[in-house]
Amino acid sequence: MKTPRTRRALAATSVVLLGVLATGCNGDSGDSSSAPATSEAATSEPVPSQGSEANPFAAELSGPDTGKPDQVLTETLTNKGRLPDAYQVVIEPADAAVVDEANFHLAPGESAKVYIKVVKTPFDVHLKSAGGGAPDQVAMTVQ
């Protein structure tokens, strides 16, 4: 019999593998993808925005962006993409705040509360996608 921890680990692994497969299957089989990028290519082929047809991953972190030491901020993390994704909330600098639960697995449209205890300001809240979305984005700066 599988334990809840084993089931969660299996689900997380499945989400990560799905993301890897989805990013590897972009439909571009031309030789130009293996050519080194030039500044000309970079301007003519923009990176697909999150949630677009070319990139089905998107996330949003919303809530207060100001805080004082010892205050707990309640943020809402929402998967705005078309595929399930795994997220990690990371604070920079690391000693500026403490995240109660930093790892999340969300289905499309699903939300979760993120509790951040402020130690000192300012700090950035990074949102890292483990499933193929933006590998690291600054979701907000807390002042």
Side-chain angles (χ1 to χ4, degrees):
M1 185 166 134
K2 294 182 181 176
T3 65
R5 175 178 272 174
T6 303
R7 280 182 271 194
R8 281 195 303 263
L10 182 59
T13 303
S14 297
V15 168
V16 170
L17 289 175
L18 177 62
V20 169
L21 289 173
T23 58
C25 297
N26 65 6
D28 184 10
S29 60
D31 289 336
S32 64
S33 64
S34 61
T38 63
S39 60
E40 213 174 287
T43 57
S44 64
E45 296 181 29
V47 175
S49 63
Q50 284 193 32
S52 68
E53 187 65 33
N55 186 350
F57 297 97
E60 177 182 83
L61 188 66
S62 59
D65 61 359
T66 59
K68 297 184 184 318
D70 294 325
Q71 181 181 4
V72 176
L73 306 177
T74 302
E75 309 292 339
T76 302
L77 171 61
T78 304
N79 180 346
K80 298 270 191 173
R82 298 187 319 269
L83 295 174
D85 206 352
Y87 305 97
Q88 182 179 29
V89 178
V90 178
I91 304 299
E92 192 174 292
D95 64 346
V98 177
V99 180
D100 184 41
E101 174 63 39
N103 298 300
F104 299 90
H105 303 280
L106 300 176
E110 188 177 12
S111 295
K113 297 293 183 193
V114 179
Y115 300 99
I116 302 171
K117 183 172 183 180
V118 178
V119 175
K120 63 182 179 181
T121 58
F123 60 87
D124 289 332
V125 181
H126 291 257
L127 186 56
K128 297 183 179 204
S129 169
D136 183 4
Q137 68 182 47
V138 176
M140 68 174 42
T141 298
V142 176
Q143 299 292 327

